[in-house]
Amino acid sequence: MSSSSEKLTTLTSPSGNAHLTIANLGATVVDYTVNGHRVVLGFPKVSDYVQSSNIYSGATIGRVCNRIADAKLSLPLAGKQSHDLDSNDAYAKKGASCLHGGADGFHQKVFEGPAIEETKEGSTATFTLHSPHMEAGFPGDIDVKAIFSLNESPSKSGSGTSAVSLGIEYEAALSPNSVVDEAVVSLTNHAYFTVSANPTVTGTQVRIATNNMLEVNPDTLIPNGKIAPHPDLPAQAFAPTTITDSEPVIDNCFVLEETCPLDTRQRPLKPYARLYHPSTGLHLEASTTEPAFQMTTGESLAGAPGLEARGAFALEAQRFVDAVNQPDWLGQVKIAKGDVWGSKTTYTVWRD
């Protein structure tokens, strides 16, 4: 590995009670520790993140996150009727989806930077990436920013301890000299979060903003266009569910809004998931400007070295799955020259 791909940047909160470490490889969150508790799971070395056993842990996902049906952009785009992509989905029973931008997606790219900014509330690190036309099969030259922040504020519990917030902001646009005038983009971060002191999330109290999810074909895991309630989660917003060692199993894209602008940062942040565990007294609240989020209970972590199944939650704020192939959803992800695609998500942690 090159020295730039192994580069790490650490941000520390003003009180010194929290730190955030990001790798240039994949603009990956490798550590988020608050009050001595590691909130984001990761691997010991940056080189571990290029192994096939890496389950996208902490990485920036693109050019299009989640699944693309048949590994193909099937709607007309950038002067062609369709574009073939990498078929790399090892989780679906059937089909040939492109998952998380393909095997050589943004999670394997070395980002430039970061540029660091300091404020009295915390600090910000901005990473950049240029993705050329037809990289991994995607048309258009695009420029990407991944902006990570670590800020501190008074605790939500009133306990006197501070609340620490990891912010992740993404921005993408077609380069001025792009050889085509259209592209698709949908970015997220694939960090795995835990507030438990144990190897698994058993005993975690979970509350989410909605149980409405994109209904999927059970074999291909591609949405069928319908929105339906999750059968194992309460309908009431933020009603509690306690996670056991086997139930519920969650790996679904939940719908917060049915429409959104290309740059959702113009909208206010809204909470979408809350975690709490009595063993630590830690709370985590995830908020986003995005219209949906993919949440998992971490079954796939069983294949990662040093981690266990149900070891943490993925809380991936994003656009709708396979929006690139759905005419009604295409506006969430299709950009033209002059457009800016943007999103913002925060993960705030405090103790009782």
Side-chain angles (χ1 to χ4, degrees):
M1 294 180 65
S2 67
S3 57
S4 57
S5 64
E6 294 183 316
K7 182 178 178 181
L8 295 172
T9 298
T10 296
L11 306 180
T12 302
S13 65
S15 70
N17 289 334
H19 65 263
L20 169 69
T21 301
I22 312 113
N24 283 58
L25 176 67
T28 296
V29 176
V30 300
D31 187 19
Y32 176 33
T33 293
V34 180
N35 293 322
H37 180 84
R38 190 166 187 173
V39 179
V40 168
L41 297 188
F43 302 121
K45 305 185 298 296
V46 175
S47 58
D48 294 330
Y49 289 85
V50 300
Q51 304 302 317
S52 59
S53 55
N54 178 19
I55 29 64
Y56 305 98
S57 181
T60 293
I61 304 297
R63 185 176 294 198
V64 173
C65 67
N66 221 308
R67 290 179 170 84
I68 297 176
D70 300 321
K72 178 178 289 190
L73 304 178
S74 61
L75 297 176
L77 182 72
K80 292 182 65 176
Q81 291 301 303
S82 65
H83 295 80
D84 291 328
L85 307 172
D86 180 27
S87 173
N88 69 315
D89 186 359
Y91 299 98
K93 297 176 184 177
K94 295 181 181 178
S97 298
C98 177
L99 179 63
H100 292 330
D104 197 31
F106 286 3
H107 64 291
Q108 294 295 305
K109 303 301 179 185
V110 179
F111 283 64
E112 298 293 326
I116 304 292
E117 292 184 22
E118 304 281 352
T119 69
K120 63 180 182 179
E121 292 84 16
S123 49
T124 298
T126 299
F127 297 79
T128 60
L129 178 72
H130 176 76
S131 179
H133 176 58
M134 299 311 298
E135 182 174 57
F138 291 95
D141 300 271
I142 68 169
D143 296 314
V144 175
K145 289 183 181 179
I147 306 166
F148 299 87
S149 60
L150 186 67
N151 293 313
E152 200 164 11
S153 60
S155 173
K156 293 184 177 230
S157 67
S159 64
T161 61
S162 60
V164 179
S165 183
L166 158 62
I168 303 178
E169 192 171 336
Y170 289 120
E171 182 178 303
L174 277 160
S175 306
N177 60 349
S178 175
V179 298
V180 295
D181 295 335
E182 294 179 327
V184 289
V185 63
S186 180
L187 309 178
T188 191
N189 188 275
H190 209 297
Y192 285 94
F193 295 90
T194 179
V195 291
S196 171
N198 305 312
T200 73
V201 296
T202 298
T204 304
Q205 185 184 87
V206 173
R207 301 170 185 260
I208 60 175
T210 179
N211 75 338
N212 289 326
M213 63 180 188
L214 296 179
E215 194 173 79
V216 299
N217 179 299
D219 291 328
T220 65
L221 304 180
I222 296 295
N224 61 17
K226 299 177 181 179
I227 296 173
H230 193 291
D232 300 323
L233 295 173
Q236 181 182 353
F238 296 112
T241 297
T242 299
I243 303 298
T244 73
D245 58 0
S246 60
E247 294 180 347
V249 173
I250 305 170
D251 190 356
N252 305 93
C253 187
F254 294 92
V255 177
L256 298 167
E257 305 279 351
E258 293 194 36
T259 60
C260 70
L262 267 178
D263 190 346
T264 63
R265 294 173 298 176
Q266 63 191 260
R267 307 196 303 186
L269 286 162
K270 292 183 179 181
Y272 68 91
R274 294 170 179 152
L275 310 178
Y276 171 75
H277 203 286
S279 70
T280 60
L282 286 175
H283 300 257
L284 183 148
E285 181 176 83
S287 301
T288 192
T289 60
E290 289 288 83
F293 63 98
Q294 183 84 19
M295 180 176 182
T296 80
T297 40
E299 273 66 25
S300 64
L301 291 173
L307 303 179
E308 295 188 21
R310 297 173 74 83
F313 300 94
L315 301 170
E316 307 158 51
Q318 59 186 254
R319 309 295 158 96
F320 286 12
V321 182
D322 198 38
V324 296
N325 289 321
Q326 304 294 330
D328 291 343
W329 302 344
L330 184 61
Q332 297 183 11
V333 297
K334 183 180 178 180
I335 60 173
K337 278 190 176 178
D339 290 336
V340 174
W341 187 101
S343 70
K344 185 174 183 179
T345 303
T346 60
Y347 305 92
T348 303
V349 179
W350 69 97
R351 194 186 294 277
D352 280 343

PDB file of all heavy atoms in Angstrom, residues 208 210-215 227-235 241 247-254 295-297:
ATOM      1  N   ILE A 208     -36.663   3.831  16.123  1.00  0.00           N
ATOM      2  CA  ILE A 208     -36.498   4.446  14.805  1.00  0.00           C
ATOM      3  C   ILE A 208     -37.733   5.269  14.443  1.00  0.00           C
ATOM      4  O   ILE A 208     -38.818   5.058  14.999  1.00  0.00           O
ATOM      5  CB  ILE A 208     -36.196   3.406  13.707  1.00  0.00           C
ATOM      6  CG1 ILE A 208     -37.312   2.373  13.574  1.00  0.00           C
ATOM      7  CG2 ILE A 208     -34.859   2.729  13.985  1.00  0.00           C
ATOM      8  CD1 ILE A 208     -37.092   1.406  12.409  1.00  0.00           C
ATOM      9  N   THR A 210     -39.555   5.444  11.792  1.00  0.00           N
ATOM     10  CA  THR A 210     -40.623   4.830  11.006  1.00  0.00           C
ATOM     11  C   THR A 210     -40.331   3.349  10.832  1.00  0.00           C
ATOM     12  O   THR A 210     -39.169   2.938  10.862  1.00  0.00           O
ATOM     13  CB  THR A 210     -40.732   5.484   9.614  1.00  0.00           C
ATOM     14  OG1 THR A 210     -41.772   4.846   8.860  1.00  0.00           O
ATOM     15  CG2 THR A 210     -39.426   5.365   8.838  1.00  0.00           C
ATOM     16  N   ASN A 211     -41.405   2.566  10.663  1.00  0.00           N
ATOM     17  CA  ASN A 211     -41.204   1.166  10.301  1.00  0.00           C
ATOM     18  C   ASN A 211     -41.554   0.924   8.841  1.00  0.00           C
ATOM     19  O   ASN A 211     -41.567  -0.213   8.373  1.00  0.00           O
ATOM     20  CB  ASN A 211     -42.005   0.233  11.210  1.00  0.00           C
ATOM     21  CG  ASN A 211     -43.498   0.222  10.905  1.00  0.00           C
ATOM     22  OD1 ASN A 211     -44.026   1.169  10.313  1.00  0.00           O
ATOM     23  ND2 ASN A 211     -44.186  -0.821  11.329  1.00  0.00           N
ATOM     24  N   ASN A 212     -41.838   2.006   8.101  1.00  0.00           N
ATOM     25  CA  ASN A 212     -42.135   1.887   6.671  1.00  0.00           C
ATOM     26  C   ASN A 212     -40.848   1.667   5.892  1.00  0.00           C
ATOM     27  O   ASN A 212     -39.892   2.431   6.029  1.00  0.00           O
ATOM     28  CB  ASN A 212     -42.839   3.144   6.157  1.00  0.00           C
ATOM     29  CG  ASN A 212     -44.260   3.243   6.674  1.00  0.00           C
ATOM     30  OD1 ASN A 212     -44.930   2.227   6.859  1.00  0.00           O
ATOM     31  ND2 ASN A 212     -44.730   4.460   6.917  1.00  0.00           N
ATOM     32  N   MET A 213     -40.844   0.632   5.079  1.00  0.00           N
ATOM     33  CA  MET A 213     -39.625   0.253   4.371  1.00  0.00           C
ATOM     34  C   MET A 213     -39.925   0.000   2.902  1.00  0.00           C
ATOM     35  O   MET A 213     -41.081  -0.197   2.501  1.00  0.00           O
ATOM     36  CB  MET A 213     -39.031  -1.016   4.993  1.00  0.00           C
ATOM     37  CG  MET A 213     -39.957  -2.209   4.875  1.00  0.00           C
ATOM     38  SD  MET A 213     -39.271  -3.714   5.599  1.00  0.00           S
ATOM     39  CE  MET A 213     -40.503  -4.916   5.065  1.00  0.00           C
ATOM     40  N   LEU A 214     -38.869   0.010   2.091  1.00  0.00           N
ATOM     41  CA  LEU A 214     -39.002  -0.387   0.692  1.00  0.00           C
ATOM     42  C   LEU A 214     -39.152  -1.904   0.648  1.00  0.00           C
ATOM     43  O   LEU A 214     -38.248  -2.635   1.068  1.00  0.00           O
ATOM     44  CB  LEU A 214     -37.772   0.042  -0.113  1.00  0.00           C
ATOM     45  CG  LEU A 214     -37.513   1.545  -0.243  1.00  0.00           C
ATOM     46  CD1 LEU A 214     -36.243   1.781  -1.059  1.00  0.00           C
ATOM     47  CD2 LEU A 214     -38.691   2.264  -0.885  1.00  0.00           C
ATOM     48  N   GLU A 215     -40.277  -2.362   0.157  1.00  0.00           N
ATOM     49  CA  GLU A 215     -40.492  -3.799   0.027  1.00  0.00           C
ATOM     50  C   GLU A 215     -39.593  -4.336  -1.083  1.00  0.00           C
ATOM     51  O   GLU A 215     -39.467  -3.710  -2.138  1.00  0.00           O
ATOM     52  CB  GLU A 215     -41.956  -4.064  -0.306  1.00  0.00           C
ATOM     53  CG  GLU A 215     -42.401  -5.492  -0.159  1.00  0.00           C
ATOM     54  CD  GLU A 215     -43.897  -5.640  -0.348  1.00  0.00           C
ATOM     55  OE1 GLU A 215     -44.340  -5.650  -1.519  1.00  0.00           O
ATOM     56  OE2 GLU A 215     -44.617  -5.724   0.657  1.00  0.00           O
ATOM     57  N   ILE A 227     -44.055   0.443  -0.709  1.00  0.00           N
ATOM     58  CA  ILE A 227     -43.611   0.777   0.643  1.00  0.00           C
ATOM     59  C   ILE A 227     -44.533   0.052   1.609  1.00  0.00           C
ATOM     60  O   ILE A 227     -45.754   0.136   1.507  1.00  0.00           O
ATOM     61  CB  ILE A 227     -43.646   2.299   0.878  1.00  0.00           C
ATOM     62  CG1 ILE A 227     -42.650   2.993  -0.068  1.00  0.00           C
ATOM     63  CG2 ILE A 227     -43.324   2.632   2.332  1.00  0.00           C
ATOM     64  CD1 ILE A 227     -42.712   4.501  -0.033  1.00  0.00           C
ATOM     65  N   ALA A 228     -43.941  -0.697   2.543  1.00  0.00           N
ATOM     66  CA  ALA A 228     -44.726  -1.532   3.454  1.00  0.00           C
ATOM     67  C   ALA A 228     -44.124  -1.479   4.857  1.00  0.00           C
ATOM     68  O   ALA A 228     -42.925  -1.207   5.021  1.00  0.00           O
ATOM     69  CB  ALA A 228     -44.749  -2.974   2.953  1.00  0.00           C
ATOM     70  N   PRO A 229     -44.929  -1.756   5.896  1.00  0.00           N
ATOM     71  CA  PRO A 229     -44.384  -1.753   7.265  1.00  0.00           C
ATOM     72  C   PRO A 229     -43.517  -2.973   7.532  1.00  0.00           C
ATOM     73  O   PRO A 229     -43.782  -4.067   7.014  1.00  0.00           O
ATOM     74  CB  PRO A 229     -45.643  -1.776   8.143  1.00  0.00           C
ATOM     75  CG  PRO A 229     -46.697  -2.407   7.295  1.00  0.00           C
ATOM     76  CD  PRO A 229     -46.391  -1.978   5.884  1.00  0.00           C
ATOM     77  N   HIS A 230     -42.481  -2.787   8.341  1.00  0.00           N
ATOM     78  CA  HIS A 230     -41.650  -3.914   8.765  1.00  0.00           C
ATOM     79  C   HIS A 230     -42.469  -4.766   9.741  1.00  0.00           C
ATOM     80  O   HIS A 230     -43.021  -4.249  10.716  1.00  0.00           O
ATOM     81  CB  HIS A 230     -40.386  -3.407   9.438  1.00  0.00           C
ATOM     82  CG  HIS A 230     -39.333  -4.445   9.635  1.00  0.00           C
ATOM     83  ND1 HIS A 230     -39.480  -5.489  10.532  1.00  0.00           N
ATOM     84  CD2 HIS A 230     -38.112  -4.627   9.063  1.00  0.00           C
ATOM     85  CE1 HIS A 230     -38.408  -6.258  10.501  1.00  0.00           C
ATOM     86  NE2 HIS A 230     -37.564  -5.760   9.628  1.00  0.00           N
ATOM     87  N   PRO A 231     -42.553  -6.075   9.524  1.00  0.00           N
ATOM     88  CA  PRO A 231     -43.432  -6.902  10.358  1.00  0.00           C
ATOM     89  C   PRO A 231     -42.988  -7.051  11.806  1.00  0.00           C
ATOM     90  O   PRO A 231     -43.810  -7.395  12.668  1.00  0.00           O
ATOM     91  CB  PRO A 231     -43.414  -8.256   9.644  1.00  0.00           C
ATOM     92  CG  PRO A 231     -42.112  -8.276   8.895  1.00  0.00           C
ATOM     93  CD  PRO A 231     -41.886  -6.858   8.471  1.00  0.00           C
ATOM     94  N   ASP A 232     -41.721  -6.793  12.108  1.00  0.00           N
ATOM     95  CA  ASP A 232     -41.205  -7.043  13.457  1.00  0.00           C
ATOM     96  C   ASP A 232     -40.877  -5.778  14.231  1.00  0.00           C
ATOM     97  O   ASP A 232     -40.260  -5.859  15.308  1.00  0.00           O
ATOM     98  CB  ASP A 232     -39.954  -7.917  13.376  1.00  0.00           C
ATOM     99  CG  ASP A 232     -40.236  -9.266  12.734  1.00  0.00           C
ATOM    100  OD1 ASP A 232     -41.319  -9.820  12.980  1.00  0.00           O
ATOM    101  OD2 ASP A 232     -39.368  -9.752  11.971  1.00  0.00           O
ATOM    102  N   LEU A 233     -41.288  -4.619  13.698  1.00  0.00           N
ATOM    103  CA  LEU A 233     -40.981  -3.361  14.371  1.00  0.00           C
ATOM    104  C   LEU A 233     -42.263  -2.567  14.586  1.00  0.00           C
ATOM    105  O   LEU A 233     -43.184  -2.620  13.764  1.00  0.00           O
ATOM    106  CB  LEU A 233     -39.984  -2.540  13.547  1.00  0.00           C
ATOM    107  CG  LEU A 233     -38.589  -3.156  13.392  1.00  0.00           C
ATOM    108  CD1 LEU A 233     -37.753  -2.349  12.411  1.00  0.00           C
ATOM    109  CD2 LEU A 233     -37.885  -3.241  14.743  1.00  0.00           C
ATOM    110  N   PRO A 234     -42.371  -1.830  15.694  1.00  0.00           N
ATOM    111  CA  PRO A 234     -43.613  -1.110  15.996  1.00  0.00           C
ATOM    112  C   PRO A 234     -43.902   0.006  15.005  1.00  0.00           C
ATOM    113  O   PRO A 234     -42.988   0.627  14.462  1.00  0.00           O
ATOM    114  CB  PRO A 234     -43.364  -0.557  17.403  1.00  0.00           C
ATOM    115  CG  PRO A 234     -41.884  -0.544  17.567  1.00  0.00           C
ATOM    116  CD  PRO A 234     -41.349  -1.669  16.752  1.00  0.00           C
ATOM    117  N   ALA A 235     -45.208   0.248  14.804  1.00  0.00           N
ATOM    118  CA  ALA A 235     -45.626   1.282  13.859  1.00  0.00           C
ATOM    119  C   ALA A 235     -45.434   2.682  14.425  1.00  0.00           C
ATOM    120  O   ALA A 235     -45.201   3.640  13.672  1.00  0.00           O
ATOM    121  CB  ALA A 235     -47.088   1.065  13.471  1.00  0.00           C
ATOM    122  N   THR A 241     -37.728  -0.954  20.861  1.00  0.00           N
ATOM    123  CA  THR A 241     -37.555  -2.378  20.590  1.00  0.00           C
ATOM    124  C   THR A 241     -36.241  -2.797  21.229  1.00  0.00           C
ATOM    125  O   THR A 241     -35.211  -2.170  20.992  1.00  0.00           O
ATOM    126  CB  THR A 241     -37.501  -2.666  19.084  1.00  0.00           C
ATOM    127  OG1 THR A 241     -38.740  -2.302  18.476  1.00  0.00           O
ATOM    128  CG2 THR A 241     -37.221  -4.141  18.819  1.00  0.00           C
ATOM    129  N   GLU A 247     -33.245 -11.737  17.588  1.00  0.00           N
ATOM    130  CA  GLU A 247     -34.396 -11.025  17.032  1.00  0.00           C
ATOM    131  C   GLU A 247     -34.403  -9.574  17.490  1.00  0.00           C
ATOM    132  O   GLU A 247     -33.916  -9.266  18.585  1.00  0.00           O
ATOM    133  CB  GLU A 247     -35.700 -11.704  17.475  1.00  0.00           C
ATOM    134  CG  GLU A 247     -35.886 -13.101  16.926  1.00  0.00           C
ATOM    135  CD  GLU A 247     -37.189 -13.729  17.385  1.00  0.00           C
ATOM    136  OE1 GLU A 247     -37.823 -13.182  18.316  1.00  0.00           O
ATOM    137  OE2 GLU A 247     -37.582 -14.759  16.818  1.00  0.00           O
ATOM    138  N   PRO A 248     -35.027  -8.680  16.688  1.00  0.00           N
ATOM    139  CA  PRO A 248     -35.388  -8.932  15.293  1.00  0.00           C
ATOM    140  C   PRO A 248     -34.155  -8.897  14.397  1.00  0.00           C
ATOM    141  O   PRO A 248     -33.124  -8.345  14.779  1.00  0.00           O
ATOM    142  CB  PRO A 248     -36.316  -7.762  14.973  1.00  0.00           C
ATOM    143  CG  PRO A 248     -35.803  -6.650  15.843  1.00  0.00           C
ATOM    144  CD  PRO A 248     -35.343  -7.310  17.113  1.00  0.00           C
ATOM    145  N   VAL A 249     -34.284  -9.480  13.225  1.00  0.00           N
ATOM    146  CA  VAL A 249     -33.254  -9.354  12.190  1.00  0.00           C
ATOM    147  C   VAL A 249     -33.671  -8.200  11.286  1.00  0.00           C
ATOM    148  O   VAL A 249     -34.750  -8.222  10.705  1.00  0.00           O
ATOM    149  CB  VAL A 249     -33.106 -10.649  11.376  1.00  0.00           C
ATOM    150  CG1 VAL A 249     -32.148 -10.436  10.211  1.00  0.00           C
ATOM    151  CG2 VAL A 249     -32.618 -11.779  12.272  1.00  0.00           C
ATOM    152  N   ILE A 250     -32.800  -7.211  11.189  1.00  0.00           N
ATOM    153  CA  ILE A 250     -33.107  -6.019  10.389  1.00  0.00           C
ATOM    154  C   ILE A 250     -32.042  -5.851   9.325  1.00  0.00           C
ATOM    155  O   ILE A 250     -30.848  -5.861   9.624  1.00  0.00           O
ATOM    156  CB  ILE A 250     -33.161  -4.755  11.272  1.00  0.00           C
ATOM    157  CG1 ILE A 250     -34.159  -4.922  12.425  1.00  0.00           C
ATOM    158  CG2 ILE A 250     -33.510  -3.524  10.435  1.00  0.00           C
ATOM    159  CD1 ILE A 250     -34.081  -3.808  13.466  1.00  0.00           C
ATOM    160  N   ASP A 251     -32.468  -5.730   8.084  1.00  0.00           N
ATOM    161  CA  ASP A 251     -31.596  -5.347   6.971  1.00  0.00           C
ATOM    162  C   ASP A 251     -32.504  -4.776   5.896  1.00  0.00           C
ATOM    163  O   ASP A 251     -32.814  -5.430   4.901  1.00  0.00           O
ATOM    164  CB  ASP A 251     -30.790  -6.540   6.447  1.00  0.00           C
ATOM    165  CG  ASP A 251     -29.700  -6.107   5.465  1.00  0.00           C
ATOM    166  OD1 ASP A 251     -29.632  -4.892   5.149  1.00  0.00           O
ATOM    167  OD2 ASP A 251     -28.933  -6.966   5.012  1.00  0.00           O
ATOM    168  N   ASN A 252     -32.952  -3.552   6.148  1.00  0.00           N
ATOM    169  CA  ASN A 252     -33.995  -2.953   5.320  1.00  0.00           C
ATOM    170  C   ASN A 252     -33.735  -1.474   5.106  1.00  0.00           C
ATOM    171  O   ASN A 252     -33.064  -0.827   5.909  1.00  0.00           O
ATOM    172  CB  ASN A 252     -35.367  -3.116   5.984  1.00  0.00           C
ATOM    173  CG  ASN A 252     -35.696  -4.554   6.304  1.00  0.00           C
ATOM    174  OD1 ASN A 252     -35.428  -5.012   7.410  1.00  0.00           O
ATOM    175  ND2 ASN A 252     -36.252  -5.272   5.349  1.00  0.00           N
ATOM    176  N   CYS A 253     -34.301  -0.947   4.013  1.00  0.00           N
ATOM    177  CA  CYS A 253     -34.231   0.484   3.725  1.00  0.00           C
ATOM    178  C   CYS A 253     -35.547   1.121   4.158  1.00  0.00           C
ATOM    179  O   CYS A 253     -36.602   0.848   3.580  1.00  0.00           O
ATOM    180  CB  CYS A 253     -33.979   0.722   2.242  1.00  0.00           C
ATOM    181  SG  CYS A 253     -33.682   2.464   1.846  1.00  0.00           S
ATOM    182  N   PHE A 254     -35.474   1.948   5.196  1.00  0.00           N
ATOM    183  CA  PHE A 254     -36.657   2.584   5.766  1.00  0.00           C
ATOM    184  C   PHE A 254     -36.875   3.958   5.132  1.00  0.00           C
ATOM    185  O   PHE A 254     -35.919   4.692   4.873  1.00  0.00           O
ATOM    186  CB  PHE A 254     -36.509   2.701   7.280  1.00  0.00           C
ATOM    187  CG  PHE A 254     -36.486   1.374   7.978  1.00  0.00           C
ATOM    188  CD1 PHE A 254     -35.277   0.725   8.231  1.00  0.00           C
ATOM    189  CD2 PHE A 254     -37.666   0.752   8.350  1.00  0.00           C
ATOM    190  CE1 PHE A 254     -35.250  -0.510   8.863  1.00  0.00           C
ATOM    191  CE2 PHE A 254     -37.649  -0.486   8.980  1.00  0.00           C
ATOM    192  CZ  PHE A 254     -36.445  -1.122   9.231  1.00  0.00           C
ATOM    193  N   MET A 295     -30.846   0.168   7.557  1.00  0.00           N
ATOM    194  CA  MET A 295     -30.429  -0.236   8.894  1.00  0.00           C
ATOM    195  C   MET A 295     -30.256  -1.741   8.927  1.00  0.00           C
ATOM    196  O   MET A 295     -31.095  -2.490   8.404  1.00  0.00           O
ATOM    197  CB  MET A 295     -31.475   0.173   9.930  1.00  0.00           C
ATOM    198  CG  MET A 295     -31.110  -0.212  11.352  1.00  0.00           C
ATOM    199  SD  MET A 295     -32.318   0.396  12.550  1.00  0.00           S
ATOM    200  CE  MET A 295     -31.566  -0.160  14.077  1.00  0.00           C
ATOM    201  N   THR A 296     -29.153  -2.200   9.521  1.00  0.00           N
ATOM    202  CA  THR A 296     -28.936  -3.624   9.686  1.00  0.00           C
ATOM    203  C   THR A 296     -28.551  -3.914  11.129  1.00  0.00           C
ATOM    204  O   THR A 296     -28.002  -3.048  11.825  1.00  0.00           O
ATOM    205  CB  THR A 296     -27.831  -4.172   8.760  1.00  0.00           C
ATOM    206  OG1 THR A 296     -26.545  -3.882   9.339  1.00  0.00           O
ATOM    207  CG2 THR A 296     -27.898  -3.568   7.375  1.00  0.00           C
ATOM    208  N   THR A 297     -28.828  -5.130  11.549  1.00  0.00           N
ATOM    209  CA  THR A 297     -28.409  -5.596  12.871  1.00  0.00           C
ATOM    210  C   THR A 297     -27.084  -6.345  12.807  1.00  0.00           C
ATOM    211  O   THR A 297     -26.703  -7.026  13.751  1.00  0.00           O
ATOM    212  CB  THR A 297     -29.502  -6.475  13.502  1.00  0.00           C
ATOM    213  OG1 THR A 297     -30.089  -7.318  12.505  1.00  0.00           O
ATOM    214  CG2 THR A 297     -30.590  -5.630  14.136  1.00  0.00           C
TER     215      THR A 297
END
